[in-house]
Structure formats: C-alpha cells, structure tokens
C-alpha cells in the first residue's frame, strides 16, 4: 500500500471541488483473507476483541458528547476510527508488558486494561485520576496495567520505550516493551535514532506506527516523500511489516508474531498499521470542513469501519449474534455512564497536592 | 578531547600533604566512584561515546568494561537525544544509567528528553515511577575549544524543576558527589571541569557520599563572601589567598551542587561579611550568578553593606583564538580587582 502524491493541486479556487477528492483511500481487503483461515486463540478471545473495540468506541463517543460541557478541562485526542489498532496491538501483549504511547492515549490505555474510572477522573482533573490530575488525557499513565509512560511531544516516548526494553533485557526478564507512534513521529530524528539502537541491541520492543495520513491538518505528502514508512523503518535493521490497521485480526496477528520474536531474543519489530481518524486531531467533532481533507475521504473509511466490519465478520462466522453486539453496546454505555458519575463525584486535588512528587526521595 | 591534553597537563596545582591521607588524582577519583557504584549496585551501568575506547573518557572509565563486562559498560551510537531517552526509560524501570559525554555542548542535543521528559515523569505520573539517572560531562576551556566545545550550560538548566545539578571542585568531592548522584532517585547532571582534571587531592578510601545540597567553606574570612562552584571556586580560592597579603580576608564557599542550592551557608556567611561576590564558569546573565544575586536582593538585603557583584562569562560566545580567550575568561587578577573595589566603597 504505497500512497502516492495526489495529482490535484493543493490550492484551488473551487473548495467544493477539492473537498470531493479522496486523497488517501482505503486499499485493504477487509476480512476476505480471513474467510478460510484459523482464527487466533479461542472464539471467546475473538469475541473479546469486538467487545473491547465497541467499549472504546462507546467511551470515546460519550467523551465527545460531553466535551462541550467543559467539565473535562483537558485536551482530548479521540481514537475513533483507530480502535482496531489499539485493541489488535494490546491484545497480543500481557498486562506486565510495558506500553508507551504518544498523545493519543485513550485507546491504548483502555486496550491495555486501564481502569475507565481512573481515566475519566484524570480527564476531569480529580485527585483519584490515574495520574492524580498531573497528566490529563495525554498522560494516562498507570503502572498497575503496564501503561508505563506517554509523551505529548511527537516521538518523545519512543526512545523511552527502548530504554524500558533495554532494562528488561539487562534484567533477563521475559517481558517486553511496546510503543504506539504516529506517521509524523517517523519524521522526528529521535525515532530514527531509536530504530538504530533497537536493531543494534536486539531489544525486546514492538513499535506500532499508526499511519493515519495526517499530522494535525498536515497531510503526509507535504511531510514525507512517496515511500512506505515500514520500508524506511526496515532500512534501520529492524523487522518491519505493514498491515491493514482497520482489521483487528491483521493487527493482532502481526503483533503476536512480533511479540513471539521479541520474547525469544529475535529483537525489535516495526509494524506500520494503515488507519484513519474520523475526528479532528484534537477536540470533539470532525474538522474536515476546514478543507484539509475531504468529507468523501472520511466517508470512505467509515464504510470500512473497524468495529462494524469485524462485527459483521464474527456474525458471518456465527461467533456472535445481532443481539450479542447490541448487548455489548448497551453494557459499554451503562459502564461509561456510571464512570462519568463516579468521576464527577470525585474530589478535586488541593493546593498541597501540587507540591508532591517533584523530586523522588 | 585529545587536543587539550597538553594544556590540561600544563596546569600545575599544588599537591596536598600526603601525611593527611591518601593522595589521588581527580580522574582516578571519578574512576573509583564509578567502579564502587557498579560494585555496590548491579543496576548501575555506564554508557557514552567512547567510554570503552583507549582514551576512556579522560581516563574516568578506564578498566570498567574489563571488570564489569560490555553489557554494563558500553559505547553508544552518536545519538544524544535518543540515548538520553533510553536512559530515562531504563531508569524508570529499575536501572541506574550513568551517561557520559565529553562536553556539555552535546547535552544540548538532548534537551527534549532531559527537560521535557526525564525531569517530568515522576511528577506527571504522580510518583508512580522515578528516574534515577546521571548525565556526566566535562566543561572545556582553552586551546581552541571555542564556541561549541566550551559551553558551561548549568545556567540553562537551573530553572528546570525535577533536575539536580552537581559541580565538584576537588577530587574528594568528585568521588563523593558522583556516588551520591548515582544513588539519588532523580535525574542528576554532573558537570566536571576539564581544567580540574589534573588536580590531586586527599581522597578517602572506599564508599562514601558527599550529600547533594550542602556547600562547604574552602576558606574562612570576615570581609567578603565569594560563592560559586567547580573551576570558578578554584580561581576564587587563589584570589583570596593572594589578597591576604593586602589585608583582605575573604571567605570562599564551594556550593558543590547548584540544584538543590545551599542557601543556608550563603546566608550564614553574608550575615557575617555583608558582601557577596558570585562566581561561575557559565554566562553571568540569567544563570547561576543572576539567580544567587536575586536571592541576595530578595532575602539578604538587610545584611548587605555593598551591592552584590558577579563574575561569570560575558554575553558573548566563546572565541576559539588564544588572544581573544584572554579577554573572554575571567582570571585571578580580574577577580582580585573586583574584590578590592567591593571593599573600597
């Protein structure tokens, strides 16, 4: 899947004409390849992947609905549209594996087993948030589930994940480190440096690069020459692969292979997952109308929605029924409603809380 | 850097009296601290460009790889930002990295990881992890080190919460402060000075720590307080000794660490002398001199008999040429004339 520089001009008189152009279309094949393949692990596991994606979608949509109320005084970076990457990746990790992430943390935290209440408390700036209101939505850090660190600086968490992998290796641990990064992070020098070091030391590390084609509102072709990001990564000497990031089984499959390699001394793997974010870079709603991408392009990806398509696939395989799917949605809505109530009823930090943990004793 | 070896060799320091204890060179003292730290704690490891090469980071890492193996003492890619991030991630997960650089100038490449990541994780994650790491570098001076190989960047980092900054001036402190820095649970910058590396001193044997945040009197006096650290305090000590013949009795305080800063020792001394001169190896604007000067204005105004003065570097990049360097760096003579003028008023 090489995405070429689009032919149309970037500056046009007729905005409406530009808005109909699909610059980055879906090039995958959906679940066609899985028709005759053995599914990973157990039927219950496959069903849990759907449940986890539905849960993240419902949570994110509720956050989005409530965001204008201004109770969550924190920037948000919704993962809606990219749930298959969050769930597919984390489902191949254990809770003890150390996960790092960039600013788009919601999906990573929830998929890693994070506590929804602790997350919503953090986003409501409450003292019982997973980071005590120190982090906000971009730093959903929770050691108890191996959500080990995040950075709001593009690429910033990537070398830190390599350091975690180095520590695990030095201690002879069978755990591994994993990191989410975006397409723009591959433009940061520090990510190239980290790939070099990960390859040099054969670190137990798995990179998941979510290529969603846009950094804020800057399309990929204005930032990178035409090339495959995974091939660029491979040139540093790590194993590298590209997957359909809208397909949770493809992401899980690639990650499981990478995890297997990392746990047995085979070193790091870079997975480029082709995904699409439906919403704006930050905040609630879609900002496509500002003209940096076309609504038609968003629609195209919504037609291959990772949650819906996987639900349909499982129904075809008779692993879930229509009712099961409806129940998953209902359960998640109930859970998220209760978690919001809990967060809103939770205490705010006090002034003395500001002064703790600047230095460690 | 090999080219300044001759210059550093030419610096003559008076040796201490061996009857007072074991005499050891500065470099050997640092080397001893690293070996003891690694012996003491298996989570300590040493990395940096050339730590295992024949020059052995001015000799400070000599023999460590042979003794502790190449998993714990290793050369790095020339990639300062990512390696600082690697140290941060390793430190957050139970290791104690000591990342060594020839010169602080190379740390500037890693400010994103140092200032925006390492110093903040303990706070951002509400104390769930800590970042016990040491970043070590030796400030250069002379023999054409110039604008990009002689920067003393402690002033740029002084205002960053979460960091500690250590600047030894004697072999005994270089050892004891480094052992404290490695044992500390926060990111610690240790800035040595290249010109101190030929210094000998009385260095205690075995494992000991010099606490971070405690200054030391290097000379007692009644007329004026001179505070600073590292090579600046070496010059201050020389100036104070020479001024004794003129009847000027200067007190010299070696801060040893700039962050945390031992305010109590400065206050104690200023309350006696009423005069404060701040000296530093870095730029005097907005740095160590400026900060301590401001503290004096805020807290010790009522104790002062004369305006606070400072001697650091001017607002100019370091020139490479020898003649220009003589105007650029403050020496003992300039320090003496500033002290005289402070007592004239």
């Amino acid at each position: 899947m090489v995405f070429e520089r689009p032919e149309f001009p970037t500056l046009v008189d007729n905005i409406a004409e530009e808005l109909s152009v699909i610059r980055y279309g879906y090039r995958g094949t959906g679940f066609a390849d899985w028709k005759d393949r053995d599914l990973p692990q157990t039927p219950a596991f496959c069903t849990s992947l759907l449940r986890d994606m539905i849960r993240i979608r419902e949570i994110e949509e509720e956050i989005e609905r409530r965001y204008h109320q201004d109770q969550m005084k924190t920037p948000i970076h919704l993962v809606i549209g990219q749930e298959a990457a969050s769930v597919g990746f984390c489902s191949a990790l254990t809770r003890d594996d150390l996960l790092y992430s960039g600013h788009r943390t919601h999906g990573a935290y929830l998929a890693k087993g994070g506590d929804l209440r602790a997350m919503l408390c953090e986003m409501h700036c409450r003292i019982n948030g997973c980071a005590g209101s120190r982090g906000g939505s971009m730093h959903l850090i929770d050691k108890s589930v191996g959500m080990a660190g995040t950075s709001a600086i593009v690429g910033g968490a990537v070398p830190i994940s390599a350091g975690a992998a180095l520590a695990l290796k030095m201690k002879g641990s069978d755990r591994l480190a994993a990191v989410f990064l975006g397409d723009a992070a591959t433009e940061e020098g520090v990510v190239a440096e980290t790939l070099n070091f990960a390859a040099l030391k054969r670190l137990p590390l798995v990179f998941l690069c979510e290529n969603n084609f846009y950094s804020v509102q800057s399309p990929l072709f204005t930032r990178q020459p035409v090339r495959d990001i995974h091939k660029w990564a491979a040139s540093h000497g790590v194993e590298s692969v590209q997957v359909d990031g809208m397909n949770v089984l493809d992401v899980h499959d690639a990650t499981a292979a990478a995890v297997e390699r990392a746990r047995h001394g085979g070193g790091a793997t870079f997975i480029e997952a082709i995904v699409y974010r439906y919403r704006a870079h930050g905040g609630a709603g879609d900002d496509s109308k500002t003209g940096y991408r076309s609504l038609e392009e968003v629609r195209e990806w919504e037609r291959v929605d990772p949650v819906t398509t996987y639900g349909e696939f499982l129904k075809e395989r008779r692993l879930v029924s229509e009712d099961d799917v409806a129940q998953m949605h209902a359960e998640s809505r109930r859970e998220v409603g209760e978690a919001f109530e809990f967060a809103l009823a939770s205490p705010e930090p006090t002034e003395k809380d500001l002064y703790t943990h600047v230095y460690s004793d | 850097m090999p080219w300044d070896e001759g210059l550093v060799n030419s610096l003559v320091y008076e040796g201490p009296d061996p009857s007072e204890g074991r005499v050891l060179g500065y470099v050997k003292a640092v080397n001893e601290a690293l070996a003891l730290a690694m012996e003491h704690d298996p989570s300590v490891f040493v990395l940096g460009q050339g730590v295992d090469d024949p020059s052995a980071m001015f000799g400070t890492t000599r023999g460590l790889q042979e003794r502790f193996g190449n998993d714990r003492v290793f050369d790095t890619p020339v990639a300062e930002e990512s390696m600082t991030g690697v140290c941060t991630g390793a430190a957050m997960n139970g290791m104690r990295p000591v990342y060594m650089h020839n010169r602080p100038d190379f740390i500037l490449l890693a400010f994103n990881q140092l200032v925006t990541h390492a110093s903040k994780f303990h706070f951002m994650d509400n104390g769930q992890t800590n970042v016990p790491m040491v970043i070590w570098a030796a400030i250069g001076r002379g023999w054409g080190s110039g604008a990009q190989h002689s920067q003393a960047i402690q002033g740029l980092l002084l205002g960053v919460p979460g960091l500690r900054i250590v600047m030894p001036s004697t072999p005994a402190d270089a050892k004891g402060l480094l052992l404290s820095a490695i044992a500390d649970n926060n990111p610690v910058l240790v800035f040595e000075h290249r010109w101190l590396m030929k210094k000998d001193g009385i260095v205690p044997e075995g494992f000991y720590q010099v606490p971070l945040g405690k200054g030391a009197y290097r000379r007692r006096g009644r007329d004026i307080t001179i505070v600073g650290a590292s090579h600046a305090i070496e010059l201050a000590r020389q100036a104070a000794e020479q001024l004794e013949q003129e009847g000027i009795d200067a007190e010299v305080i070696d801060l040893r660490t700039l962050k945390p800063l031992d305010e109590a020792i400065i206050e104690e001394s200023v309350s006696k002398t009423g005069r404060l001169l701040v000296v530093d190896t870095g730029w005097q604007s907005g740095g160590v001199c400026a900060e301590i000067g401001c503290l004096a204005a805020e807290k010790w105004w009522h104790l002062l008999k004369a305006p606070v003065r400072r001697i650091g570097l001017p607002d100019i990049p370091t020139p490479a040429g020898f003649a220009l360097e003589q105007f650029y760096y403050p020496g003992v003579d300039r320090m003496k004339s500033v002290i005289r003028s402070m007592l004239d008023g």
Side-chain angles (χ1 to χ4, degrees):
Chain A
M1 284 182 261
V2 183
F3 293 86
E4 289 174 5
R5 187 186 172 98
E7 292 299 315
F8 66 89
T10 52
L11 292 169
V12 290
D13 296 335
N14 186 343
I15 295 289
E17 190 185 325
E18 189 191 2
L19 289 182
S20 67
V21 172
I22 295 173
R23 189 185 276 153
Y24 298 110
Y26 178 67
R27 308 276 183 88
T29 54
F31 287 88
D33 296 346
W34 285 91
K35 287 267 190 292
D36 305 313
R37 282 180 66 183
D38 289 338
L39 294 181
Q41 300 194 28
T42 62
F45 174 79
C46 293
T47 310
S48 74
L49 298 179
L50 179 63
R51 186 182 298 110
D52 291 349
M53 285 199 292
I54 287 174
R55 180 169 178 260
I56 293 172
R57 175 68 58 87
E58 289 288 351
I59 291 165
E60 291 287 77
E61 287 184 347
E62 187 60 22
I63 289 169
E64 184 176 38
R65 269 193 289 276
R66 294 183 185 231
Y67 195 54
H68 74 279
Q69 296 170 0
D70 207 24
Q71 300 271 9
M72 288 173 275
K73 295 183 192 304
T74 184
I76 53 169
H77 301 86
L78 297 171
V79 78
I80 297 171
Q82 301 182 199
E83 294 90 342
S86 308
V87 170
F89 191 57
C90 293
S91 62
L93 307 173
T94 70
R95 184 166 284 218
D96 290 341
D97 291 331
L98 300 168
L99 181 62
Y100 293 81
S101 149
H103 57 280
R104 201 171 301 283
T105 55
H106 305 182
Y109 179 63
L110 292 166
K112 191 66 170 57
D115 179 44
L116 175 60
R117 286 181 167 195
M119 168 176 156
L120 291 180
C121 287
E122 188 62 33
M123 293 173 67
H124 284 86
C125 316
R126 306 302 160 126
I127 188 66
N128 52 352
C130 57
S133 192
R134 302 300 187 79
S137 89
M138 292 195 285
H139 303 289
L140 299 174
I141 304 174
D142 188 345
K143 231 177 154 178
S144 69
V145 295
M147 189 69 186
T150 70
S151 174
I153 302 296
V154 175
V158 176
I160 295 170
S161 71
L166 179 68
L168 294 171
K169 187 176 177 171
M170 290 179 89
K171 290 191 280 192
S173 169
D174 63 355
R175 294 150 68 201
L176 55 87
V179 61
F180 280 102
L181 61 152
D183 45 287
T186 65
E187 291 147 30
E188 294 280 6
V190 75
V191 173
E193 292 178 17
T194 305
L195 285 166
N196 175 63
F197 187 70
L200 178 74
K201 298 286 178 186
R202 292 179 81 80
L203 294 180
L205 177 60
V206 187
F207 300 85
L208 188 83
C209 176
E210 294 176 278
N211 178 2
N212 66 15
F213 310 107
Y214 295 91
S215 175
V216 192
Q217 296 188 336
S218 306
L220 192 59
F221 78 90
T222 63
R223 298 180 282 115
Q224 298 191 18
V226 175
R227 66 174 176 205
D228 271 339
I229 287 176
H230 70 285
K231 288 181 185 161
W232 166 86
S235 71
H236 293 85
V238 296
E239 286 290 325
S240 192
V241 63
Q242 187 186 58
V243 296
D244 177 357
M246 303 302 268
N247 186 320
V248 70
L249 294 180
D250 284 352
V251 179
H252 172 85
D253 207 37
T255 312
V259 165
E260 183 70 9
R261 187 179 302 124
R263 289 211 207 281
H264 295 96
T269 303
F270 184 96
I271 302 168
E272 178 192 6
I274 304 297
V275 297
Y276 200 82
R277 83 171 136 73
Y278 296 174
R279 301 299 194 260
H281 157 75
D286 178 18
D287 58 349
S288 300
K289 283 181 182 162
T290 58
Y292 73 95
R293 65 182 186 184
S294 71
L295 288 169
E296 204 39 59
E297 187 177 290
V298 182
R299 295 293 101 78
E300 161 145 327
W301 289 86
E302 284 173 345
R303 281 193 284 275
V304 291
D305 180 71
V307 184
T308 314
T309 55
Y310 185 57
E312 292 303 318
F313 172 74
L314 290 187
K315 278 189 257 176
E316 278 167 32
R317 298 284 288 242
R318 301 192 180 286
L319 290 173
V320 296
S321 67
E322 192 70 47
D323 284 352
D324 292 336
V325 175
Q327 205 186 332
M328 288 177 191
H329 281 281
E331 274 170 20
S332 295
R333 276 198 290 270
R334 189 164 54 244
E335 185 199 4
V336 70
E338 283 167 9
F340 265 99
E341 277 177 40
F342 178 83
L344 287 163
S346 290
E348 306 252 7
T350 59
E351 189 183 348
K352 71 170 173 44
D353 296 311
L354 175 64
Y355 304 105
T356 57
H357 305 308
V358 180
Y359 289 92
S360 173
D361 295 336
Chain B
M1 301 285 152
W3 70 79
D4 60 2
E5 201 59 34
L7 174 76
V8 174
N9 278 332
S10 73
L11 296 168
V12 179
Y13 293 102
E14 281 170 41
D17 181 356
S19 68
E20 290 169 21
R22 182 184 61 142
V23 175
L24 205 64
Y26 198 103
V27 165
K28 191 76 187 79
V30 172
N31 180 254
E32 208 170 82
L34 290 170
L36 281 164
M38 296 189 79
E39 205 176 275
H40 194 70
D41 183 348
S43 67
V44 176
F45 66 101
V46 173
L47 69 166
Q49 196 196 357
V51 294
D52 60 352
D53 74 10
S55 307
M57 197 60 78
F58 314 112
T60 59
T61 56
R62 196 169 311 287
L64 295 179
Q65 194 178 59
E66 290 80 347
R67 193 162 155 206
F68 297 102
N70 51 15
D71 284 341
R72 288 182 72 195
V73 181
F74 58 88
D75 203 352
T76 60
V78 185
E80 291 81 2
E81 186 187 352
S82 65
M83 292 315 302
T84 306
V86 163
C87 289
T88 304
M92 287 167 73
N93 290 286
M95 303 303 289
R96 289 184 182 271
V98 181
Y99 184 18
M100 303 184 76
H101 301 268
N102 251 292
R103 292 284 186 262
D105 308 70
F106 297 104
I107 295 172
L108 293 167
L109 284 150
F111 260 37
N112 175 44
Q113 284 300 321
L114 185 63
V115 176
T116 310
H117 294 84
S119 69
K120 293 182 172 51
F121 266 110
H122 181 64
F123 180 86
M124 286 199 305
D125 72 10
N126 204 26
Q128 294 180 66
T129 50
N130 52 27
V131 187
M133 63 191 251
V134 172
I135 309 277
W136 183 101
I139 298 164
R141 175 171 168 172
W143 201 249
S145 292
Q148 298 179 335
H149 264 49
S150 65
Q151 295 178 91
I153 62 170
Q154 60 271 22
L156 302 182
L157 291 160
L158 197 62
V160 180
L163 296 178
R164 299 199 192 281
I165 303 172
V166 173
M167 295 188 71
S169 76
T170 70
D173 277 0
K175 178 179 168 183
L177 288 169
L178 185 53
L179 283 167
S180 286
I182 294 170
D184 194 85
N185 285 331
N186 301 281
V188 184
L189 291 140
V190 177
F191 292 122
E192 308 283 4
H193 196 286
R194 192 70 184 90
W195 280 20
L196 294 171
M197 286 190 170
K198 286 293 162 182
K199 205 173 165 175
D200 289 337
I202 306 293
V203 179
E205 309 240 12
F207 191 97
Y208 66 91
Q209 294 180 340
V210 173
L212 306 185
K214 291 278 176 217
Y217 288 101
R218 295 296 179 214
R219 194 175 192 284
R220 294 285 188 164
R222 292 182 314 273
D223 299 331
I224 181 171
T225 302
I226 310 172
V227 297
S230 184
H231 185 251
I233 220 65
E234 176 67 26
L235 292 181
R237 215 178 39 73
Q238 291 171 26
E241 272 162 24
Q242 292 173 25
L243 285 170
E244 195 176 354
Q245 293 147 12
E246 299 175 26
I248 294 173
D249 192 14
E251 186 144 283
V252 178
I253 295 172
D254 183 352
L255 291 167
R256 306 201 282 199
T257 66
L258 299 175
K259 198 173 174 71
L261 181 68
D262 187 353
E263 290 181 28
I265 196 172
I266 308 174
E267 182 173 356
E268 181 180 76
S269 177
V270 172
S271 65
K272 179 172 63 181
T273 64
R275 290 181 176 84
L276 180 63
L277 170 64
V278 191
V279 296
D280 186 37
T281 53
W283 296 291
Q284 65 183 22
S285 300
V288 177
C289 293
E291 177 60 24
I292 296 175
C294 183
L295 271 175
E298 267 183 353
K299 298 187 172 181
W300 309 316
W301 181 255
H302 61 289
L303 303 174
L304 292 171
K305 296 177 198 159
V308 174
R309 294 287 302 271
R310 51 184 171 168
I311 300 179
L313 300 178
D315 253 354
I316 302 171
T318 312
F322 178 80
L324 290 175
E325 269 180 359
Q326 307 315 303
F327 305 114
Y328 182 72
Y329 283 109
V332 174
D333 287 343
R334 192 179 328 158
M335 223 172 254
K336 278 159 59 182
S337 80
V338 170
I339 293 167
R340 281 190 208 103
S341 73
M342 288 174 74
L343 289 162
D344 282 348

